[in-house]
Amino acid sequence: MILSIRPIPRAFTFAMLIRRPRFWLVLLASLVLHLVVWQSSRLTVRPPPEPAPQAIAVSALIDTPTPPKPLELPKEVVRAPKIKPVQTARPTDNTAPAESSNPKPSTPPIAHDIAPSPPGPTETPPPMASSSATPGNLEEPGNGSLDDLIASTGGPSASPRDKAKESPPEKASVPASDAPTRFDPPPSAKLEYQIVGQSKGFNYNVTGTSDWRVDNQQFSFTTQASMLFLYSFEFKSVGRFDQYGLAPLRYTEKRGRRAEQATNFNRDRPDSPQTISFSSATQELPMVAGAQDRNSVLIQLAGLARGEPDKFSQSGAQQVYVAGTRDAEWWTFNILGLETIEVAGKPHQALHLNRKPRKEFDQTIDVWLGSDLEWYPIKIKFSEVNGDFLEQTLANIVKY
């Protein structure tokens, strides 16, 4: 059988294809397959090229011994100058001899002579404070802050600004009167003070105490105060008596959390000169007759006024060699006369002493000694050049 195949018209074939759903499915599947293949070729993750190996340089440090240099001797040998030993003044025949170190407990302290004899030709003059002293602990306040004022209750502290511009040394004058001045220390007591002040516009009001004790020719004087939990300080002087009055042996300062600073009066040296040494400085100063510290100087003035009240009631000046925590210098207290000071709501007569500033940024110190209150310091005031001040007034006396 012979089959004859007729050619299909082109128009008829296209029309037949577009009417069949299978055609569209095959076409759609082909398009999807091509799209997947094309997209997969784009998302192929190619590994990053491996970094080229870095060359490691190995170095070794080899100490090659070098021949030592020949020792060169100096052409001239400089010898240190010889230091002459310090000689201290000894009491003359007209001064009262020192008392026995073990008197009877019932015997009250006997007044002593305090007028030092004129220095002889072999006596070494006391050096003054030097700005080249080793600073030691630099945490000592000295910028007019609250620490400066509150800490000054036991005596003003030397600040770095005070040392930067220091005036020439002030020579002490020897009293012209031949009659020795009598020294009579006040009785043991606890002095309670009310302290007010101002520092950089900040006003404060705190309480403080001064504990003065005399026992068997030995003394101790402790001054302390605290301002809530913000600040506290304690100054303590211990020593004995001699022909000039108080003879401090050790003075300590403790301010807040700072380390304690000490000043030692090396009086018991039979085979070496007597000196004043400091824990905050390397210098060592010669001992001066009647030398005091910043805390004991208040009781020293009270004992001098009790010994000869008539002499202290007159105008004049009293000079005391005062040691701090780094150096020592002469303090001159001018006697301004009797004034009325109110203590615990009652008026009392008090002798006014004033120490003027000796150099820039120095303090003015005013002390009032109660003539009818055993000559205790009933009022003390420290004034700064910028207007800041600290003033403590006696509020109560508790005698032992």
Side-chain angles (χ1 to χ4, degrees):
M1 185 174 69
I2 302 172
L3 297 178
S4 59
I5 299 174
R6 296 180 182 180
I8 300 175
R10 185 175 299 176
F12 174 76
T13 305
F14 181 75
M16 293 296 294
L17 290 175
I18 63 177
R19 292 179 181 178
R20 295 176 181 271
R22 185 178 299 175
F23 169 76
W24 293 105
L25 291 175
V26 172
L27 181 60
L28 181 61
S30 177
L31 292 175
V32 171
L33 181 60
H34 282 78
L35 181 61
V36 170
V37 172
W38 177 74
Q39 188 69 19
S40 63
S41 63
R42 292 185 58 189
L43 297 178
T44 301
V45 178
R46 297 179 181 179
E50 296 182 359
Q54 299 180 356
I56 300 176
V58 179
S59 60
L61 299 178
I62 303 176
D63 296 336
T64 58
T66 57
K69 296 182 179 180
L71 181 62
E72 296 181 359
L73 297 178
K75 296 180 180 180
E76 296 181 0
V77 179
V78 180
R79 300 182 182 273
K82 296 183 179 179
I83 301 176
K84 297 182 179 180
V86 179
Q87 299 180 359
T88 57
R90 297 183 178 179
T92 56
D93 297 337
N94 58 350
T95 57
E99 293 190 9
S100 174
S101 58
N102 296 319
K104 297 181 180 180
S106 59
T107 304
I110 303 176
H112 302 280
D113 298 334
I114 59 173
S117 58
T122 59
E123 184 178 3
T124 304
M128 303 304 295
S130 174
S131 59
S132 61
T134 305
N137 185 2
L138 297 180
E139 295 182 348
E140 182 176 358
N143 54 1
S145 62
L146 181 61
D147 291 359
D148 292 333
L149 294 175
I150 295 183
S152 298
T153 308
S157 59
S159 64
R161 292 179 300 177
D162 295 341
K163 300 176 182 297
K165 297 181 179 180
E166 190 170 298
S167 60
E170 179 180 341
K171 296 182 179 180
S173 60
V174 179
S177 176
D178 296 334
T181 304
R182 307 293 295 177
F183 180 82
D184 183 16
S188 301
K190 180 180 180 181
L191 309 177
E192 300 176 356
Y193 291 95
Q194 190 67 31
I195 304 174
V196 297
Q198 177 180 343
S199 176
K200 296 182 179 180
F202 175 75
N203 298 324
Y204 54 90
N205 190 333
V206 298
T207 58
T209 60
S210 293
D211 187 80
W212 163 249
R213 294 178 182 267
V214 181
D215 184 16
N216 194 21
Q217 291 300 303
Q218 306 291 324
F219 79 87
S220 66
F221 185 46
T222 305
T223 301
Q224 57 185 356
S226 61
M227 182 178 178
L228 296 178
F229 301 101
L230 301 179
Y231 186 80
S232 63
F233 70 87
E234 179 180 295
F235 303 140
K236 187 174 183 179
S237 306
V238 294
R240 57 174 183 259
F241 298 90
D242 61 9
Q243 61 269 32
Y244 304 105
L246 300 184
L249 296 177
R250 183 175 175 85
Y251 167 64
T252 57
E253 286 189 9
K254 183 67 174 68
R255 302 176 182 177
R257 298 180 180 179
R258 296 185 176 94
E260 183 180 82
Q261 296 177 316
T263 301
N264 296 310
F265 296 80
N266 306 306
R267 301 178 184 273
D268 300 326
R269 287 185 173 182
D271 300 331
S272 59
Q274 299 181 359
T275 60
I276 303 176
S277 58
F278 313 91
S279 64
S280 301
T282 57
Q283 66 174 346
E284 195 166 348
L285 304 179
M287 182 69 66
V288 177
Q292 303 296 318
D293 58 62
R294 294 173 183 164
N295 194 37
S296 65
V297 64
L298 298 176
I299 300 298
Q300 177 74 0
L301 293 174
L304 294 176
R306 281 173 57 88
E308 287 192 356
D310 296 337
K311 181 179 179 180
F312 265 74
S313 300
Q314 303 173 0
S315 60
Q318 181 67 38
Q319 292 183 322
V320 185
Y321 192 67
V322 181
T325 57
R326 299 177 185 273
D327 48 32
E329 61 181 359
W330 287 98
W331 285 10
T332 301
F333 290 91
N334 297 313
I335 302 175
L336 304 183
L338 293 174
E339 299 179 5
T340 301
I341 300 296
E342 186 173 341
V343 177
K346 297 181 180 180
H348 293 273
Q349 291 294 313
L351 179 64
H352 186 187
L353 306 176
N354 172 266
R355 194 210 76 164
K356 295 182 179 180
R358 297 178 56 252
K359 47 187 174 294
E360 189 178 6
F361 303 112
D362 202 359
Q363 290 177 325
T364 300
I365 305 176
D366 292 275
V367 180
W368 287 265
L369 304 176
S371 60
D372 56 349
L373 292 175
E374 304 289 353
W375 294 90
Y376 291 122
I378 64 175
K379 185 177 179 180
I380 309 170
K381 184 176 181 180
F382 303 91
S383 305
E384 302 285 349
V385 294
N386 60 356
D388 294 345
F389 70 94
L390 181 146
E391 181 178 298
Q392 62 181 67
T393 305
L394 185 65
N396 188 28
I397 302 177
V398 180
K399 292 187 177 181
Y400 298 122

